[in-house]
Amino acid sequence: MSKYIVGNWKMNQTLPEIKAYFEYVEKYSAKFNCESWIAPQAIHLAPLMNKSKKIVLGAQNSAPFDKGAYTGEVSPVALKELGAKFTIVGHSERRTYFKEHHALLNKKTEAALNAGLKVIFCVGETAQERNDDRTFVVIEEQLREGLKSIIIPNPEALLVAYEPIWAIGTGMNATASQAQEVHEFIRVQLKDTFPTTGKDLPILYGGSVNTENIESLLAQRDIDGALVGGASLKPEDYTKLCLLASKF
Ligand code: PEP
């Protein structure tokens, strides 16, 4: 399986910055031999469509419904119609700041898959939970509740991102072996939940990934790629991450 490099730009980048970013990345993208994905702000998806043959665009968030009286929400159907290929569900910033919990995330996952979007479903523990030896308990619950009754239309439709909250935006990444240990656990859960496809669903690591640590992370058996925040904002770093991932 090709490795994944997914850039999560969060609420960053202006139109001029995006233009310069794509001009830079496009000088190298023909050499990318990995899945190179980027999630800009939803409003920037339209101007970015067709700017690159290589980079797959997706959303950072999507509504739990197709349409209706939900002021301010972004429909997964509208995202799909626009050309977005994926959406991120359950990012810890959404769980923490916007109080998104299992049942809502489950609905968002279902609505996005029904609309034909791929879903990157994020899980991860806090520092306190890790210190209390509750990492596996927390991850198991997030997967069980968030993916309850979910039917995957094809084996590429669902990706899971393991993002320890203590590692997001802190510069303190999980070591390759800490990440591998949790990825292996997630793999077991996925095989249990999805007996035919679970063994093949990509599992990404996220949390202070950079050009220095990417190779040791991707070398792990159950790490199929990375979800990258801060480092994905710099075109030079994103390009380097994609080139390094292309070697696997
Ligand atoms: C993220 O927000 O998904 C993330 C992993 O951020 P960072 O790479 O900055 O830690």
Side-chain angles (χ1 to χ4, degrees):
M1 174 195 307
S2 295
K3 299 286 187 183
Y4 288 76
I5 298 293
V6 182
N8 172 14
W9 284 358
K10 311 192 185 188
M11 208 170 70
N12 293 299
Q13 309 281 40
T14 61
L15 283 174
E17 283 167 350
I18 289 173
K19 187 167 176 285
Y21 188 106
F22 269 66
E23 276 166 14
Y24 182 92
V25 174
E26 280 309 289
K27 287 192 269 180
Y28 301 91
S29 65
K31 296 197 188 108
F32 294 175
N33 188 20
C34 63
E35 292 287 334
S36 310
W37 295 12
I38 287 181
Q41 297 183 60
I43 195 155
H44 290 152
L45 280 166
L48 278 177
M49 284 301 155
N50 308 317
K51 281 267 184 297
S52 169
K53 286 204 182 75
K54 269 280 162 63
I55 293 176
V56 171
L57 296 166
Q60 298 170 16
N61 181 32
S62 52
F65 312 104
D66 289 354
K67 63 176 182 175
Y70 303 106
T71 304
E73 286 293 309
V74 176
S75 159
V77 174
L79 287 167
K80 174 73 180 169
E81 190 178 56
L82 189 63
K85 297 286 189 269
F86 69 94
T87 184
I88 301 173
V89 175
H91 191 282
S92 70
E93 287 153 15
R94 303 244 21 123
R95 290 180 190 261
T96 308
Y97 304 141
F98 302 99
K99 309 283 175 259
E100 297 194 356
H101 205 50
H102 302 318
L104 176 66
L105 300 175
N106 184 251
K107 285 291 295 169
K108 286 189 173 201
T109 302
E110 187 185 29
L113 289 172
N114 285 344
L117 294 173
K118 297 180 183 189
V119 169
I120 301 178
F121 188 84
C122 303
V123 296
E125 81 286 5
T126 62
Q128 185 65 53
E129 287 162 345
R130 175 163 280 264
N131 291 339
D132 293 347
D133 258 340
R134 289 179 37 78
T135 299
F136 292 153
V137 176
V138 169
I139 305 274
E140 192 274 331
E141 181 181 329
Q142 289 172 337
L143 290 171
R144 174 170 32 84
E145 295 298 322
L147 300 178
K148 193 182 269 177
S149 308
I150 291 295
I151 295 165
I152 312 180
N154 62 67
E156 275 125 54
L158 179 70
L159 303 88
V160 170
Y162 168 55
E163 297 210 302
I165 296 169
W166 48 271
I168 296 178
T170 59
M172 238 173 52
N173 64 288
T175 62
S177 63
Q178 278 174 325
Q180 168 57 27
E181 186 187 27
V182 180
H183 279 232
E184 197 173 333
F185 176 78
I186 292 172
R187 175 70 65 214
V188 172
Q189 304 302 309
L190 292 177
K191 281 190 200 163
D192 226 46
T193 312
F194 306 106
T196 50
T197 49
K199 67 180 189 331
D200 298 319
L201 301 179
I203 308 174
L204 316 182
Y205 168 78
S208 297
V209 171
N210 58 39
T211 55
E212 301 298 313
N213 58 28
I214 185 75
E215 287 172 290
S216 63
L217 288 160
L218 293 184
Q220 303 300 310
R221 195 185 57 227
D222 294 300
I223 302 187
D224 302 310
L227 180 53
V228 189
S232 76
L233 291 173
K234 300 186 207 109
E236 300 85 359
D237 285 4
Y238 180 77
T239 299
K240 194 158 177 206
L241 288 168
C242 289
L243 291 173
L244 290 169
S246 301
K247 294 201 274 178
F248 284 84

